Amino acid sequence: MATPMRENESKQTTDSCSSSMSLTVSSQPKKKSLKRPSELEIDTSFDAAMHTDDDESPENDKFAFYRHQVAGHYPIFWNAGVICKPIQKNELEFYRHIQTHLPTLVEFVPRYLGVKTMTYGQLPPTPTEQKDSRMDFGNQKSQTAEFNRFNQWGLRCHNKKKQDLKKSSNIRYIELEDLTLPFSRPNILDLKIGTRVYGVNDDPQKIKRKIEKSASTTSCSLGLRLCGMQVYNPVDDTYTFRDKFDGRNLDEKGFVNSIKQFFTCIDGQLRLTVIERLIERILKLVSVVSEQKSFQFFSSSLLFICEGCGPKDQKRLFGTVKNDNLQRVDLRFIDFAQAARDTEEKGVDKGFLKGLGNIVTILRNLLASNAEDIRIHGAESSLENIAEAASVTTLNKK
């Protein structure tokens, strides 16, 4: 596994955020205001009312570890362009609900393809030689899936959760499209959005732990936290990885530097067109999410994907060109295990909008300047009316 890059920036604790988040707990709405999902678990006995034969996929034992999993708690598996992740809490309900009740949001999330039931024996065997670059990862036809370097975050998740997986005779997985398929060597960035990192079903001790953890990270100060990242280097045909532990150690300046690194070419040039396209996409998502009154989103993420390998390098390194559009991008809203039904129609919370406002501002400032110090003005221009209460944050020169 490639050694994750570490920043030397020290953690920055924001007392005001910790205080305000504590107030959030004490003034939490009554239980009836939010529909509480079931306990966090692998869903092996999902309510029959939520299950229909129409979206249950036939069995297929050709599974592999998903090579581009950069974050998450449970391992994600891959089969013929479809990813499978264990059903957690009310994520399945969210995907099914928006198909008919929130169609404007559908284009901003991974395409929902159904549900699959598998046994532990159907899952791919754990690789015995993790550093072998020629491992057999199953019958994966796309160039993306045939990449000869393995992002081991999914394997780490598997080793940590395999006892939970083994003890269940049948495990139900939600099937989603593999968003990396159009890319030859996808660069991926997973950012957790919002200042609130606990769910409505968390017990008081868990809420306290999460608040304390958030207070020392950029989730508190920016409403953003890096959960995972991979960046391709065509010179030596390798990826550089960052995981959630790296993200927790970043202060605001380190976070901005990481975002800048993600959008910087090997020659040091910023990928301006890619940034512009992603800003446009985020603003459309903000408009859709802020208008809906069905869900509140806690601990959800934005997933950024762009091409990491140009056509010339693809041809030189691999003999064929899969993606001839170096400016291709994708941005999706993901991870809805903590999404709560908003029965009082309050809409998304201010901490969530603060994060969206800050990532737009960071990207706009990258376009405008390569200066060391980047000012984050909370919500500006087209986000002002949406995130009117977003905090104003300034990154001073460290």
Side-chain angles (χ1 to χ4, degrees):
M1 179 177 180
T3 303
M5 297 174 295
R6 304 278 177 179
E7 294 284 343
N8 293 324
E9 293 92 342
S10 61
K11 294 182 181 179
Q12 179 169 332
T13 303
T14 309
D15 294 334
S16 60
C17 177
S18 178
S19 174
S20 64
M21 293 186 75
S22 298
L23 290 174
T24 302
V25 177
S26 61
S27 60
Q28 201 172 343
K30 295 180 180 180
K31 292 183 180 181
K32 66 178 182 179
S33 64
L34 293 174
K35 181 177 179 180
R36 298 166 70 90
S38 59
E39 292 293 334
L40 176 60
E41 61 183 1
I42 299 178
D43 189 348
T44 58
S45 57
F46 204 78
D47 192 306
M50 288 297 297
H51 170 67
T52 62
D53 292 333
D54 293 341
D55 60 2
E56 181 78 20
S57 298
E59 292 187 5
N60 188 327
D61 59 357
K62 301 295 184 180
F63 290 95
F65 283 98
Y66 184 49
R67 292 178 173 235
H68 299 300
Q69 181 177 355
V70 299
H73 298 285
Y74 283 91
I76 296 175
F77 302 104
W78 188 97
N79 176 267
V82 178
I83 65 169
C84 303
K85 56 182 294 190
I87 296 172
Q88 297 180 39
K89 294 190 174 180
N90 62 338
E91 188 165 36
L92 178 59
E93 179 185 356
F94 168 81
Y95 274 106
R96 286 176 168 166
H97 178 88
I98 67 172
Q99 305 304 312
T100 53
H101 300 289
L102 278 176
T104 55
L105 190 55
V106 171
E107 69 169 287
F108 294 99
V109 302
R111 186 157 55 100
Y112 169 68
L113 300 171
V115 173
K116 179 180 289 291
T117 301
M118 294 188 288
T119 64
Y120 183 81
Q122 289 179 280
L123 302 181
T126 301
T128 56
E129 197 59 49
Q130 298 182 12
K131 295 182 179 180
D132 183 358
S133 64
R134 298 296 178 186
M135 271 185 243
D136 178 13
F137 289 95
N139 183 22
Q140 302 182 0
K141 297 181 180 180
S142 74
Q143 279 195 354
T144 297
E146 291 170 356
F147 183 49
N148 66 353
R149 299 291 187 272
F150 184 33
N151 185 335
Q152 293 186 16
W153 186 258
L155 179 60
R156 178 189 183 281
C157 294
H158 177 83
N159 289 334
K160 189 174 181 180
K161 299 292 187 180
K162 61 184 177 183
Q163 295 306 319
D164 290 339
L165 296 168
K166 280 182 177 180
K167 69 184 180 183
S168 301
S169 57
N170 290 294
I171 309 167
R172 299 192 70 207
Y173 288 80
I174 188 170
E175 295 182 302
L176 303 169
E177 66 175 318
D178 178 4
L179 299 173
T180 68
L181 283 180
F183 301 87
S184 177
R185 296 295 182 262
N187 289 351
I188 303 174
L189 175 65
D190 184 321
L191 298 182
K192 188 179 293 293
I193 308 297
T195 56
R196 173 172 164 173
V197 295
Y198 58 89
V200 296
N201 202 45
D202 289 338
D203 60 54
Q205 290 159 347
K206 194 169 188 179
I207 290 174
K208 182 180 178 182
R209 287 197 308 270
K210 289 186 175 182
I211 288 176
E212 290 173 349
K213 183 185 297 182
S214 173
S216 62
T217 71
T218 54
S219 285
C220 173
S221 55
L222 300 178
L224 299 163
R225 188 168 81 226
L226 190 152
C227 288
M229 184 172 86
Q230 66 178 41
V231 178
Y232 180 71
N233 183 347
V235 174
D236 57 6
D237 191 21
T238 60
Y239 272 108
T240 301
F241 304 101
R242 283 195 174 191
D243 57 33
K244 67 179 182 180
F245 303 109
D246 296 288
R248 290 175 187 171
N249 287 326
L250 295 175
D251 62 8
E252 294 94 331
K253 185 175 180 180
F255 177 86
V256 173
N257 287 338
S258 296
I259 300 301
K260 184 175 181 179
Q261 178 199 11
F262 181 77
F263 293 108
T264 301
C265 298
I266 194 69
D267 61 1
Q269 298 297 309
L270 277 174
R271 303 182 66 178
L272 302 180
T273 301
V274 167
I275 295 174
E276 290 171 348
R277 291 181 176 181
L278 287 169
I279 290 174
E280 180 181 357
R281 180 82 171 163
I282 295 171
L283 291 175
K284 290 179 180 178
L285 171 62
V286 170
S287 177
V288 171
V289 170
S290 63
E291 289 175 1
Q292 64 83 36
K293 303 293 183 182
S294 297
F295 289 92
Q296 289 190 328
F297 302 103
F298 307 118
S299 288
S300 293
S301 293
L302 284 186
L303 190 72
F304 299 74
I305 308 176
C306 61
E307 181 59 67
C309 187
K312 290 183 179 179
D313 287 321
Q314 290 178 45
K315 188 173 183 179
R316 175 174 62 86
L317 293 173
F318 322 116
T320 58
V321 175
K322 178 182 180 182
N323 175 25
D324 61 1
N325 181 8
L326 189 58
Q327 310 306 328
R328 182 192 297 272
V329 299
D330 201 350
L331 179 132
R332 303 295 176 103
F333 191 27
I334 63 170
D335 295 339
F336 305 105
Q338 300 289 357
R341 291 296 293 274
D342 185 7
T343 56
E344 290 188 352
E345 298 187 353
K346 292 182 177 180
V348 293
D349 71 341
K350 294 175 181 178
F352 182 82
L353 294 173
K354 171 182 176 178
L356 292 175
N358 276 335
I359 188 58
V360 169
T361 305
I362 290 171
L363 295 179
R364 282 177 170 167
N365 280 313
L366 284 179
L367 289 178
S369 172
N370 291 330
E372 253 187 73
D373 299 324
I374 296 178
R375 287 183 171 276
I376 300 178
H377 303 290
E380 65 175 22
S381 70
S382 32
L383 287 182
E384 283 183 347
N385 294 330
I386 298 172
E388 57 187 2
S391 297
V392 176
T393 305
T394 301
L395 299 185
N396 297 316
K397 187 174 181 180
K398 299 292 189 269

